[in-house]
């Protein structure tokens, strides 16, 4: 929440204040989690009820490797998390909704864990993050159409207390 962000800003050291200032200058690519998260903080939204959908976390079929194309968006999230060290997040991964339920659940868990590992390598403590694989439990679109399957296969960031 903006209240939490303001509260943290009041108690942070000079380095974190510089980070906050640099966030104001940061160019967040259109539609990325970094942009959406920064806008939500700036607008004072309640982050605990927001779901932030990653734009560039598109995994290869049946793989959980974090690709180079994902790095910029993850780095933006890491910058924001560094600026607000009390924020705790969940990375939730979902699969497209076709195929074996157990394999999809395992794949989504591997993908969520891979994102947490990547953020950890960028300096975010694993104790601040939770990786959850949802498989195809929460579809957002019809799996009969390719567009629906693509929408269902996603990675989301949510805030936890």
């Amino acid at each position: 929440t903006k209240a939490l962000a303001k509260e943290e800003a009041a108690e942070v050291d000079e380095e974190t204040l510089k980070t906050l200032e640099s966030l104001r200058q940061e160019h967040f690519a259109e539609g990325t989690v970094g942009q959406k998260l920064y806008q939500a903080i700036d607008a004072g939204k309640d982050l605990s009820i927001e779901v932030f959908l990653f734009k560039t976390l598109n995994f290869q079929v049946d793989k959980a490797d974090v690709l180079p194309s994902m790095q910029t968006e993850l780095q933006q999230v890491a910058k924001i998390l560094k600026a607000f060290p009390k924020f705790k997040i969940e990375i939730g991964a979902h699969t497209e909704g076709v195929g074996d339920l157990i394999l999809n659940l395992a794949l989504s868990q591997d993908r969520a864990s891979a994102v947490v590992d990547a953020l950890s390598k960028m300096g975010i403590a694993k104790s601040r993050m939770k990786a959850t694989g949802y498989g195809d439990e929460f579809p957002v679109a019809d799996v009969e159409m390719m567009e629906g399957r693509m929408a269902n296969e996603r990675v989301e960031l949510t805030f936890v207390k």
Side-chain angles (χ1 to χ4, degrees), residues 15 18 20 28 41 54 57 65 69 81 90-91 106 155:
E15 183 177 332
K18 287 180 184 176
L20 286 170
F28 295 107
I41 291 168
F54 281 93
L57 296 193
D65 301 320
S69 60
L81 291 174
E90 176 186 85
I91 299 296
V155 179

Short mmCIF file of all heavy atoms in Angstrom, two decimals, residues 15 18 20 28 41 54 57 65 69 81 90-91 106 155:
data_model
loop_
_atom_site.label_atom_id
_atom_site.label_comp_id
_atom_site.label_asym_id
_atom_site.label_seq_id
_atom_site.Cartn_x
_atom_site.Cartn_y
_atom_site.Cartn_z
N GLU A 15 20.58 5.09 1.28
CA GLU A 15 20.71 4.28 0.06
C GLU A 15 19.33 3.92 -0.50
O GLU A 15 19.10 4.00 -1.70
CB GLU A 15 21.50 3.01 0.35
CG GLU A 15 21.73 2.15 -0.87
CD GLU A 15 22.57 0.93 -0.58
OE1 GLU A 15 23.40 0.97 0.35
OE2 GLU A 15 22.39 -0.06 -1.30
N LYS A 18 17.73 6.87 -2.13
CA LYS A 18 18.29 7.07 -3.47
C LYS A 18 17.65 6.09 -4.47
O LYS A 18 17.37 6.46 -5.61
CB LYS A 18 19.80 6.89 -3.46
CG LYS A 18 20.54 8.03 -2.82
CD LYS A 18 22.04 7.78 -2.84
CE LYS A 18 22.78 8.89 -2.11
NZ LYS A 18 24.22 8.63 -2.03
N LEU A 20 14.62 4.86 -4.24
CA LEU A 20 13.28 5.38 -4.52
C LEU A 20 13.32 6.50 -5.54
O LEU A 20 12.50 6.56 -6.46
CB LEU A 20 12.63 5.88 -3.23
CG LEU A 20 12.14 4.81 -2.26
CD1 LEU A 20 11.75 5.45 -0.94
CD2 LEU A 20 10.98 4.06 -2.86
N PHE A 28 10.10 2.16 -17.11
CA PHE A 28 9.53 0.82 -17.06
C PHE A 28 8.82 0.58 -18.39
O PHE A 28 7.98 1.37 -18.81
CB PHE A 28 8.53 0.70 -15.91
CG PHE A 28 9.15 0.83 -14.56
CD1 PHE A 28 8.97 1.96 -13.79
CD2 PHE A 28 9.94 -0.19 -14.04
CE1 PHE A 28 9.54 2.08 -12.54
CE2 PHE A 28 10.52 -0.08 -12.79
CZ PHE A 28 10.32 1.05 -12.03
N ILE A 41 1.89 1.71 -6.60
CA ILE A 41 2.46 2.32 -5.40
C ILE A 41 2.24 3.83 -5.44
O ILE A 41 1.78 4.44 -4.47
CB ILE A 41 3.97 2.00 -5.27
CG1 ILE A 41 4.16 0.51 -4.97
CG2 ILE A 41 4.62 2.85 -4.19
CD1 ILE A 41 5.60 0.04 -5.11
N PHE A 54 3.07 -10.78 -15.21
CA PHE A 54 4.32 -10.56 -15.93
C PHE A 54 4.04 -10.58 -17.43
O PHE A 54 3.30 -11.42 -17.94
CB PHE A 54 5.34 -11.65 -15.60
CG PHE A 54 6.04 -11.45 -14.29
CD1 PHE A 54 5.54 -12.04 -13.13
CD2 PHE A 54 7.19 -10.69 -14.20
CE1 PHE A 54 6.19 -11.87 -11.92
CE2 PHE A 54 7.84 -10.51 -13.00
CZ PHE A 54 7.33 -11.10 -11.85
N LEU A 57 7.44 -13.05 -19.14
CA LEU A 57 7.80 -14.37 -18.62
C LEU A 57 7.04 -15.44 -19.40
O LEU A 57 6.05 -16.02 -18.95
CB LEU A 57 7.49 -14.48 -17.13
CG LEU A 57 8.29 -13.56 -16.22
CD1 LEU A 57 8.15 -13.97 -14.77
CD2 LEU A 57 9.76 -13.52 -16.59
N ASP A 65 13.04 -22.80 -17.59
CA ASP A 65 14.24 -21.98 -17.61
C ASP A 65 13.90 -20.50 -17.77
O ASP A 65 13.09 -20.13 -18.64
CB ASP A 65 15.16 -22.40 -18.76
CG ASP A 65 15.56 -23.86 -18.67
OD1 ASP A 65 15.84 -24.34 -17.55
OD2 ASP A 65 15.58 -24.53 -19.73
N SER A 69 15.35 -13.02 -22.29
CA SER A 69 14.30 -12.04 -22.60
C SER A 69 13.48 -11.66 -21.37
O SER A 69 12.76 -10.66 -21.38
CB SER A 69 13.36 -12.59 -23.67
OG SER A 69 12.74 -13.79 -23.22
N LEU A 81 11.55 -4.12 -5.19
CA LEU A 81 11.61 -4.90 -3.94
C LEU A 81 12.77 -4.45 -3.06
O LEU A 81 12.66 -4.44 -1.84
CB LEU A 81 11.69 -6.39 -4.24
CG LEU A 81 10.42 -7.01 -4.84
CD1 LEU A 81 10.67 -8.46 -5.24
CD2 LEU A 81 9.25 -6.89 -3.90
N GLU A 90 4.40 -13.32 -3.51
CA GLU A 90 4.22 -14.68 -4.00
C GLU A 90 4.33 -14.62 -5.51
O GLU A 90 3.74 -13.73 -6.15
CB GLU A 90 2.85 -15.23 -3.62
CG GLU A 90 2.62 -16.63 -4.22
CD GLU A 90 1.23 -17.16 -3.99
OE1 GLU A 90 0.34 -16.82 -4.80
OE2 GLU A 90 1.03 -17.88 -3.01
N ILE A 91 5.08 -15.54 -6.05
CA ILE A 91 5.15 -15.73 -7.49
C ILE A 91 4.29 -16.95 -7.78
O ILE A 91 4.58 -18.05 -7.30
CB ILE A 91 6.59 -15.95 -7.99
CG1 ILE A 91 7.48 -14.74 -7.67
CG2 ILE A 91 6.61 -16.28 -9.47
CD1 ILE A 91 7.09 -13.45 -8.37
N ALA A 106 3.47 -29.72 -11.45
CA ALA A 106 4.92 -29.75 -11.22
C ALA A 106 5.62 -28.70 -12.08
O ALA A 106 6.53 -27.99 -11.61
CB ALA A 106 5.48 -31.14 -11.51
N VAL A 155 2.47 -16.02 -15.38
CA VAL A 155 3.15 -15.88 -14.08
C VAL A 155 2.67 -14.58 -13.47
O VAL A 155 2.67 -13.53 -14.12
CB VAL A 155 4.69 -15.88 -14.23
CG1 VAL A 155 5.35 -15.72 -12.87
CG2 VAL A 155 5.17 -17.16 -14.91
#
